[in-house]
């Protein structure tokens, strides 16, 4: 089946959907509200399932060219003692390939190139979402946590809820002796590979909503932690550090599809970053949606199949990620089997 599609939002989920639909022969328009697309962010972990999705979108070779494998990592205490291993080796044994790390900027560049510059219209303010439904065969809401498409066509009780956590992200020009996460009361610090000689770091700290603090205040929070943490923060530059209040979407949506409208990515299932699964789930949404549309005889049956395939698995990851945020934020160490199941989600 082929037709015309409008995708609202030019993030990972929206651009990946554009790539898939164009490969399937659809006429695609992407509407982005910002005046220009300026990718930002640090490293993303591409799980094997997300790698397979990118393979099917024709981007697997480029993904592997840009990435480094992530094969070993630990959870540590603030003084550097080991609590547990992250299940990266188990994931590689089970799936036959390792988790791959790349920057969000690189992923966005790949998707933009594959989607085609002419497909994307920037500075597009959606004032009448209903008009899109009559103009296009398919309307894809890929417009994030505060989705206009979701508010217009789906359950309005679902809305962003602040998790009590602020995430900081940056990069450092050194490679630590051990990658992984360090857990303390009310705060977590992580270091992962990004590319040779460059380390991605992130900090998640319990913070009242609306409260802003400086990078120096963040350094003070982690004073006395082991060397990889203090060195990464010492080298950080305020101008190049990202800070975001973390929200997820609650209550869960009863459907990701309605009529000829469908949701992907954060618009459907915004989650905390504790499992590092947001980008992966958006790619799985895009791949599944485009597969369903390619194989179905009509839009309605394709969207029903997409909803049946993706809603419960994605919402399960949202729930596990929320639980992981609570575990890490309260420095709970067990039960160990639960912790490892969450990390392996």
């Amino acid at each position: 089946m082929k037709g015309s599609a409008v995708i609202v939002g030019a993030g990972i989920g929206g651009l990946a959907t554009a790539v898939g639909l164009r490969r399937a022969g659809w006429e695609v328009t992407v509407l982005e509200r910002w005046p220009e697309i300026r990718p930002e962010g640090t490293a993303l972990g591409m799980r094997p399932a997300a790698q397979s999705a990118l393979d099917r979108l024709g981007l697997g070779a480029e993904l592997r060219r840009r990435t480094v494998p992530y094969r070993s990592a630990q959870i540590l205490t603030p003084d550097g003692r080991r609590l547990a291993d992250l299940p990266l080796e188990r994931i590689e044994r089970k799936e036959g390939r390792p988790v791959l790390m790349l920057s969000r900027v690189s992923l966005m560049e790949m998707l933009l190139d594959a989607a085609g510059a002419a497909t994307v219209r920037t500075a597009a303010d959606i004032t009448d979402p209903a008009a899109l439904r009559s103009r296009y065969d398919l309307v894809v809401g890929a417009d994030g946590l505060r989705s206009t498409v979701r508010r217009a066509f789906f359950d309005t009780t679902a809305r962003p809820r602040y998790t009590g956590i602020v995430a900081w992200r940056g990069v450092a020009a050194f490679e630590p002796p051990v990658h992984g996460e360090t857990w303390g009361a009310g705060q977590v610090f992580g270091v992962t590979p990004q590319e040779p000689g460059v380390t991605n770091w992130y900090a998640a700290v319990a913070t009242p909503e609306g409260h802003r603090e400086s990078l120096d205040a963040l350094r003070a929070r982690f004073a006395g932690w082991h060397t990889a943490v203090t060195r990464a923060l010492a080298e950080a530059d305020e101008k190049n550090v990202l800070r975001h209040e973390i929200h997820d979407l609650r209550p869960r949506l009863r459907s990701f599809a309605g009529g000829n409208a469908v949701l992907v990515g954060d618009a459907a299932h915004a989650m905390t970053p504790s499992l590092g699964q947001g980008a992966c789930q958006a790619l799985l949404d895009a791949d599944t949606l485009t597969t369903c549309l390619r194989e179905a005889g009509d839009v309605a049956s394709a969207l029903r199949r997409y909803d049946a395939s993706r809603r419960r698995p994605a919402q399960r990851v949202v729930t596990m990620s929320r639980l992981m945020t609570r575990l890490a934020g309260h420095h709970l160490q067990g039960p160990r089997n639960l912790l490892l199941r969450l990390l392996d989600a």
Side-chain angles (χ1 to χ4, degrees), residues 157-333:
T157 63
R159 59 185 180 87
R161 313 281 179 159
Y162 181 53
T163 63
I165 300 294
V166 167
W168 299 70
R169 298 179 179 89
V171 296
F174 73 93
E175 295 186 8
V178 176
H179 291 111
E181 290 190 344
T182 302
W183 289 10
Q187 54 201 52
V188 172
F189 197 95
V191 288
T192 74
Q194 178 161 311
E195 57 189 59
V198 177
T199 292
N200 164 67
W201 65 262
Y202 54 91
V205 295
T207 308
E209 187 170 13
H211 175 72
R212 297 195 63 85
E213 60 186 9
S214 66
L215 182 56
D216 282 339
L218 185 70
R219 293 184 179 113
R221 282 180 177 263
F222 290 95
W225 286 39
H226 61 83
T227 304
V229 176
T230 55
R231 180 177 175 183
L233 289 175
E235 294 183 8
D237 182 342
E238 188 99 46
K239 297 190 296 295
N240 298 319
V241 170
L242 303 175
R243 178 193 182 278
H244 301 286
E245 291 186 346
I246 301 300
H247 298 74
D248 60 11
L249 190 64
R250 286 176 279 169
R252 62 178 57 184
L253 290 170
R254 293 189 290 271
S255 178
F256 289 175
N260 67 336
V262 65
L263 300 174
V264 300
D266 283 354
H269 47 68
M271 63 189 70
T272 71
S274 298
L275 294 178
Q277 283 268 34
C280 292
Q281 293 298 311
L283 291 170
L284 292 175
D285 290 349
D287 176 48
T288 302
L289 176 59
T290 56
T291 298
C292 291
L293 287 163
R294 186 173 59 249
E295 296 177 353
D298 60 89
V299 169
S301 62
L303 297 192
R304 286 195 298 270
R305 180 180 167 197
Y306 165 76
D307 182 64
S309 298
R310 286 296 302 146
R311 179 162 44 88
R312 289 184 179 178
Q315 290 175 340
R316 176 174 173 268
V317 175
V318 172
T319 299
M320 291 190 294
S321 188
R322 186 180 301 138
L323 179 55
M324 188 66 181
T325 299
R326 293 171 182 166
L327 279 171
H330 291 88
H331 192 36
L332 301 178
Q333 299 180 26

